[in-house]
Amino acid sequence: MALTGKEVEHVAMLARLKLSEEDQKKFGEQLSAILDYMKRLNDLDTEKVEPLAHVLPLHNVFRSDEARQEFSREEMLANAPLEESGLFKVPKIM
Amino acid sequence: MPNTEYEAVIGLEVHAELKTESKIFCSCSTEFGAEPNTQICPICTGMPGVLPVLNRKVLEYAIKTGLALNCEIAEFSKYDRKNYFYPDLPKAYQISQYDLPICRNGYLEIEVDGQQKRVGITRVHMEEDAGKLVHQGTITATPYSLVDLNRSGVPLLEIVSEPDMRTPQEARLYMEKLRAILLFLGVSDCKMQEGSLRCDANVSVRPRGETRFGTKTEIKNMNSFRALERALEFEIDRQIELLEDGEKIVQETRTWDESKQATFSMRSKEEAHDYRYFPDPDLVPVVVDRDWVEAVRETLPELPDAARKRLVQNYGLPEYDATVLTLTKDTLDFFDRCMEEYHDAKVVSNWIMGELNRLLNQQNLEITECKVTPFGLVSMLRLIDEGTISGKMAKSVFEEMFATGKQPEVIIKEKGMVQISDESALEPIIARIVADNPKVVEDYRNGKDKAFGFFVGQVMKATRGQANPKMVNDILKRILSGA
């Protein structure tokens, strides 16, 4: 199941990756190979298998609604490359 | 002038912030208005290796809301990741619900020109809010953006309606009813200005009689009921004009500009929505058994429709009064507390819808923030009934109560405002005024109604508005006919 160049380009755009033509071809082949491998699942008979939403045999894990502060602003901003007046500073978006 | 050859098709997507103490997947506070980034932790800032855990109250509020909106509550529900890049979304995905939302297939009812109309609710699901961007200057001219993540991870309900509305007025009524229900449930404080209740609209137009939908646009950034109605009116007219000119509607997202009173294309660089949803492996599914649903149903309070019926049936109030009094739970509570102490519902309703609402709107206050208590209002009504003050004096007493929070008896005493209902005190005053104005007496006897009003005015002036109006009328008539 070969991905088209356009599909590879679209996926790259969604991931904000700039691919050279060469990369696009290479990743296109790799992605296609992965999809082909996964396609083998289609050959299995899943008639009697319940759809699975989660791999752990668990449900309803909750916390109670109690607020507390566990980190100071200084700690939370400590790893930010840029910061200004207590805010994360990022490149402009438009 | 609305073009009647077309009809609009409107569906709304409403986001309501839930009134929990802590965020949906971590223990950070949700309180509004804190200093930037003081209510954040590794979970709500998307640090690697953290484990989100669902706040049980969020699920309970979602079930409660679903039941109030007549929805089916899913037995099995899960969380999914909605992937997109934006600086206010630190994980680059929003935890939301995709194919298995907690509630489906509900409705609410609105009243349009005296007719009940049902608006379908497609689904209600839980998700997390994003952070906030702070810009230096305008969004396009700013050299960089600043990010406050306090809001990141605040629990939201997304409530999606069916495309069942046909006019901006219906959309507004739907929004008002939805807000009233959420307020009665106590699950959200629904403040549109603060963004705890937000609304996007999908709107298209089609020739009347056509059953297929036209191409729709999505409208964002409507921050009040008024803005919602105006934005839809504008957009419907815009689309009709395009069709009339033989042009095509472009499916796109548009933003409402309040200052220009128009919608504008957002021309996002982002391609058609492609969120690549997949189940969130950090969060386990939610299973809600039927006993749990019934237990939550037991806790449902009286809802706006039931309250409205009660006001009409028990107190004989007009539909209009009942609707206004049930727009918020706080207004209804105020009314109900008055009725524990007082007999005349229409009088109470008139004061709440009239003077009280007027002063609240004027000063932009909520009924819970105002200084007049139900007890204060009832005390004042009793003073009117007993003849201590006139209805006219009551208005200024009420304003004083609203401004200072003082009890009416205290205000009356301080201002010397007691109504004069003593005949022997009023009669000499009235007699003197009549004697001083023989020409007006002549006019009165020649049938000029205005002349009577003149005397009433003079008596009120002489008594600084404190004379009992009914008594003044009686004494005046007697003196004028006898003298």
Side-chain angles (χ1 to χ4, degrees):
Chain A
M1 183 177 145
L3 281 180
T4 64
K6 225 176 169 170
E7 283 168 323
V8 178
E9 206 179 311
H10 176 67
V11 173
M13 193 281 301
L14 289 172
R16 297 298 184 275
L17 294 173
K18 218 174 249 167
L19 299 185
S20 66
E21 228 164 276
E22 199 183 318
D23 283 343
Q24 196 173 314
K25 192 165 170 294
K26 185 168 92 188
F27 292 135
E29 282 163 12
Q30 291 180 357
L31 288 168
S32 300
I34 294 169
L35 290 174
D36 282 339
Y37 179 71
M38 295 304 286
K39 231 171 86 184
R40 294 168 61 186
L41 290 173
N42 291 350
D43 300 334
L44 298 175
D45 179 9
T46 55
E47 191 64 29
K48 296 199 173 77
V49 182
E50 285 283 308
L52 183 72
H54 204 279
V55 292
L56 297 176
L58 288 174
H59 61 263
N60 293 7
V61 177
F62 303 125
R63 23 172 287 276
S64 59
D65 182 29
E66 285 157 26
R68 58 178 179 270
Q69 191 181 0
E70 289 172 334
F71 291 84
S72 69
R73 173 154 82 180
E74 289 61 42
E75 283 175 287
M76 289 309 301
L77 286 164
N79 290 331
L82 290 169
E83 178 253 309
E84 185 176 301
S85 333
L87 293 137
F88 296 95
K89 192 168 170 180
V90 300
K92 69 170 190 165
I93 48 147
M94 278 181 143
Chain B
M1 191 56 194
N3 187 326
T4 51
E5 288 164 36
Y6 290 87
E7 73 171 358
V9 176
I10 302 166
L12 296 181
E13 270 180 35
V14 174
H15 286 90
E17 272 184 9
L18 293 178
K19 214 166 68 179
T20 53
E21 297 291 320
S22 62
K23 294 186 178 178
I24 181 168
F25 300 121
C26 64
S27 300
C28 292
S29 168
T30 55
E31 202 168 316
F32 182 80
E35 284 292 302
N37 293 318
T38 53
Q39 295 169 355
I40 61 175
C41 75
I43 295 175
C44 57
T45 55
M47 298 291 170
V50 296
L51 191 64
V53 181
L54 179 64
N55 181 343
R56 185 186 165 109
K57 190 147 237 173
V58 172
L59 178 59
E60 282 172 1
Y61 280 180
I63 297 172
K64 219 173 192 179
T65 305
L67 289 174
L69 296 174
N70 309 293
C71 291
E72 298 155 15
I73 309 300
E75 260 178 83
F76 184 89
S77 179
K78 70 175 171 72
Y79 294 89
D80 301 279
R81 294 185 177 181
K82 177 181 181 179
N83 300 281
Y84 64 95
F85 289 115
Y86 209 72
D88 64 8
L89 188 74
K91 298 192 296 299
Y93 61 83
Q94 178 194 30
I95 304 176
S96 180
Q97 297 196 285
Y98 183 52
D99 54 338
L100 297 172
I102 184 71
C103 318
R104 281 179 198 266
N105 297 335
Y107 63 86
L108 62 70
E109 282 183 340
I110 55 176
E111 194 181 293
V112 188
D113 303 326
Q115 299 279 322
Q116 289 297 117
K117 172 168 178 157
R118 195 172 270 202
V119 179
I121 308 274
T122 315
R123 58 186 278 159
V124 178
H125 71 248
M126 299 168 270
E127 62 185 28
E128 57 179 346
D129 209 344
K132 252 183 194 164
L133 292 180
V134 183
H135 300 285
Q136 308 293 97
T138 68
I139 191 165
T140 41
T142 183
Y144 50 83
S145 296
L146 297 171
V147 189
D148 173 9
L149 295 176
N150 280 350
R151 204 179 65 181
S152 171
V154 167
L156 293 177
L157 287 186
E158 178 173 323
I159 302 160
V160 183
S161 86
E162 290 286 305
D164 285 347
M165 289 157 278
R166 293 290 172 269
T167 63
Q169 183 210 6
E170 288 182 10
R172 184 200 170 105
L173 289 168
Y174 168 85
M175 231 1 225
E176 282 179 352
K177 175 54 76 65
L178 183 57
R179 178 172 182 267
I181 290 170
L182 296 172
L183 286 172
F184 273 59
L185 292 172
V187 299
S188 172
D189 59 15
C190 295
K191 289 184 181 160
M192 288 186 93
Q193 314 303 9
E194 288 181 9
S196 63
L197 188 68
R198 310 196 282 271
C199 166
D200 301 332
N202 286 306
V203 55
S204 61
V205 298
R206 61 186 174 191
R208 207 166 278 282
E210 171 65 61
T211 51
R212 283 170 307 172
F213 294 141
T215 305
K216 69 180 178 184
T217 59
E218 186 182 0
I219 316 297
K220 290 182 176 292
N221 195 35
M222 300 167 290
N223 297 323
S224 65
F225 290 117
R226 172 116 193 99
L228 169 66
E229 216 171 350
R230 298 278 299 117
L232 287 172
E233 279 163 11
F234 176 90
E235 182 60 17
I236 291 165
D237 287 347
R238 187 188 74 88
Q239 292 188 11
I240 291 173
E241 252 172 65
L242 281 175
L243 293 182
E244 290 278 276
D245 294 347
E247 290 183 55
K248 281 222 164 78
I249 313 267
V250 180
Q251 180 163 351
E252 62 180 353
T253 303
R254 300 177 68 85
T255 182
W256 170 244
D257 187 324
E258 186 68 40
S259 60
K260 298 198 176 76
Q261 295 281 300
T263 65
F264 294 95
S265 173
M266 288 177 80
R267 271 187 260 277
S268 159
K269 273 186 281 179
E270 186 74 23
E271 235 172 87
H273 297 179
D274 186 347
Y275 294 123
R276 294 147 293 142
Y277 285 95
F278 63 87
D280 192 316
D282 287 341
L283 288 154
V284 298
V286 163
V287 174
V288 181
D289 65 43
R290 299 304 93 182
D291 289 348
W292 191 358
V293 173
E294 289 318 304
V296 175
R297 199 191 298 278
E298 294 284 302
T299 68
L300 287 183
E302 181 185 50
L303 293 169
D305 284 339
R308 208 184 66 228
K309 275 184 202 130
R310 174 168 65 83
L311 297 193
V312 172
Q313 278 167 9
N314 293 10
Y315 299 118
L317 284 178
E319 280 284 344
Y320 176 78
D321 292 46
T323 303
V324 174
L325 292 175
T326 52
L327 279 178
T328 73
K329 176 89 175 88
D330 294 328
T331 309
L332 178 67
D333 284 346
F334 193 100
F335 172 83
D336 278 334
R337 284 178 57 204
C338 288
M339 293 313 295
E340 286 168 15
E341 313 266 340
Y342 197 72
H343 60 284
D344 192 334
K346 184 60 185 145
V347 170
V348 171
S349 166
N350 286 348
W351 277 91
I352 293 176
M353 295 197 311
E355 285 301 289
L356 182 57
N357 268 353
R358 182 178 69 81
L359 293 168
L360 288 173
N361 286 338
Q362 200 178 66
Q363 305 192 18
N364 204 12
L365 289 174
E366 302 284 330
I367 198 165
T368 44
E369 295 168 319
C370 100
K371 292 179 177 151
V372 178
T373 60
F375 178 78
L377 174 57
V378 168
S379 305
M380 191 198 76
L381 297 179
R382 290 229 177 84
L383 292 170
I384 302 174
D385 295 344
E386 289 158 7
T388 311
I389 54 173
S390 66
K392 201 172 175 187
M393 287 156 77
K395 278 200 177 177
S396 57
V397 172
F398 190 81
E399 279 183 17
E400 189 73 15
M401 288 164 66
F402 191 91
T404 65
K406 286 180 184 163
Q407 286 303 308
E409 296 85 349
V410 177
I411 294 164
I412 288 165
K413 210 173 216 171
E414 278 177 2
K415 306 223 157 183
M417 282 173 88
V418 176
Q419 178 166 254
I420 305 170
S421 301
D422 178 356
E423 269 214 54
S424 61
L426 287 176
E427 195 159 338
I429 299 170
I430 297 171
R432 181 173 49 75
I433 290 170
V434 171
D436 285 352
N437 295 283
K439 196 176 164 322
V440 190
V441 175
E442 196 73 14
D443 289 347
Y444 175 75
R445 290 190 177 138
N446 290 332
K448 284 199 184 160
D449 291 340
K450 266 196 198 157
F452 192 80
F454 166 82
F455 283 122
V456 174
Q458 289 299 307
V459 176
M460 284 302 172
K461 204 169 154 194
T463 58
R464 292 189 300 145
Q466 287 171 250
N468 180 330
K470 186 174 177 309
M471 213 166 257
V472 171
N473 278 346
D474 292 348
I475 297 171
L476 248 181
K477 271 186 198 146
R478 198 173 69 229
I479 291 178
L480 287 171
S481 60

